[in-house]
Amino acid sequence: MADNARMKVRSLADLQHVRRAMAERAEAAAAREQAERQRREQEAREKRQFELAVGPVRPLRGSARVLLQRSAPLPHPLQRQRDEEAVMREALSDEFDVETLLHTDDRLSFIRPGLGPDVLVRLRAGRWSIQRQIDLHGLRTDEAREALGRFLRECHQQGLRCVRVVHGKGLGSPGRTPVLKDRVPRWLVQKHEVLAFAQARPAHGGAGALLVLLRQAQGLSREAAG
C-alpha cells in the first residue's frame, strides 16, 4: 500500500508540473497575440492618420522606373598609338636635303644647333667609347632604313651615348655607287635621338662608318660630357 501511495504522489506532482507548463505556454501565446493585435491596430491608426493628412491614396500598378545601363568607355588604344608613333619616327625620307646641315670638310660630320664645335672634336677623338654598332651591309634600302631607326631608338632607350653605324663604302654596289653611304647621313639628321655624327677613324671603319652621338635619355643618370 505504501508503494501505491508514493506512486500517486509522484503522479499528482507530475500532473501539476504539466499544468503549470501548459499555463505558461498559454500565457505566452496570449501575450504574442495581444502584441500582434496592438501592432495591427497601430498600423491601422497610422494609415488613417496618413489618409486624413493627404487624402485618399491608391497604390500604383507596376513600376514606371527605367534602369539605365551606363555603357562602358571604349578602350584607349595605347599600344596602337605607340606603334604608330614608332612608324612615324622611322618614316625617314630619302629626299631630305641634308647638304646644308652637314660640315663638308675632309670627314663628313653633323652637329645639332646649340652644341659647341668641340663636341665633334671629342667625338672624333674617341671621347665617348663606342657602346654598340650596327652593320647595314647587304641590306636593301628599305631594310636598312627600318633597321637603323629601330637600332637608334633601342640604343637611346637603353641610355647609350655613342654608337657606330657601318654603311660601307659602296664598292660592291651596282655601278660602284655608294647608296647607303649617301642615305645614312640623311636618315641620321632626321632622327631626334641623334645629336651629332662624324666619319669614323680608320681603325673604326674610316669612310665606311659613322660615329653617332645620341641624346641622353630622360630619367637616366647624366654622363659627364668632359
Side-chain angles (χ1 to χ4, degrees):
M1 293 293 294
D3 293 339
N4 291 335
R6 283 195 297 271
M7 291 179 62
K8 288 180 181 180
V9 171
R10 286 199 300 270
S11 297
L12 290 174
D14 293 341
L15 182 59
Q16 291 175 354
H17 178 72
V18 170
R19 286 178 177 176
R20 282 196 301 271
M22 293 177 62
E24 291 174 355
R25 285 197 295 270
E27 291 177 358
R32 288 194 299 269
E33 183 177 355
Q34 183 179 3
E36 178 64 19
R37 184 169 57 253
Q38 292 175 349
R39 185 187 65 79
R40 290 195 297 267
E41 292 175 353
Q42 179 64 25
E43 290 180 352
R45 285 194 298 270
E46 292 176 352
K47 183 178 180 181
R48 287 194 298 270
Q49 291 174 356
F50 178 78
E51 291 175 349
L52 291 174
V54 302
V57 295
R58 183 176 61 184
L60 295 175
R61 294 182 179 180
S63 176
R65 292 190 304 171
V66 177
L67 297 179
L68 299 178
Q69 295 182 352
R70 183 176 300 176
S71 58
L74 296 176
H76 200 54
L78 295 178
Q79 186 58 49
R80 186 179 67 186
Q81 290 181 359
R82 296 190 188 101
D83 295 339
E84 291 175 352
E85 291 173 359
V87 171
M88 291 301 296
R89 286 194 297 266
E90 295 178 5
L92 304 176
S93 172
D94 295 340
E95 306 302 326
F96 186 79
D97 185 8
V98 71
E99 300 301 329
T100 58
L101 301 176
L102 298 180
H103 297 269
T104 53
D105 50 12
D106 57 333
R107 287 176 293 182
L108 193 66
S109 60
F110 163 78
I111 186 172
R112 293 281 179 197
L115 296 179
D118 58 324
V119 173
L120 285 177
V121 175
R122 287 180 290 173
L123 182 60
R124 290 169 176 162
R127 170 62 182 81
W128 291 276
S129 60
I130 299 174
Q131 298 171 293
R132 193 173 169 186
Q133 73 171 17
I134 183 172
D135 191 344
L136 303 177
H137 275 108
L139 298 181
R140 297 193 301 270
T141 301
D142 291 343
E143 295 174 339
R145 183 192 303 110
E146 294 177 3
L148 179 61
R150 184 168 54 252
F151 170 77
L152 294 174
R153 187 175 69 254
E154 292 175 354
C155 291
H156 177 255
Q157 292 174 348
Q158 295 171 9
L160 305 185
R161 296 303 311 277
C162 185
V163 297
R164 179 170 57 180
V165 177
V166 180
H167 49 66
K169 300 178 181 179
L171 300 180
S173 302
R176 301 175 67 84
T177 302
V179 178
L180 291 183
K181 182 179 180 180
D182 177 63
R183 295 189 180 183
V184 166
R186 298 176 184 269
W187 298 339
L188 290 175
V189 169
Q190 299 175 64
K191 297 298 293 181
H192 174 73
E193 297 92 340
V194 175
L195 288 178
F197 61 80
Q199 182 175 301
R201 291 178 293 176
H204 293 151
L210 293 172
L211 299 182
V212 182
L213 180 65
L214 299 179
R215 189 183 305 274
Q216 182 167 355
Q218 294 182 356
L220 298 177
S221 59
R222 188 175 187 80
E223 181 179 335

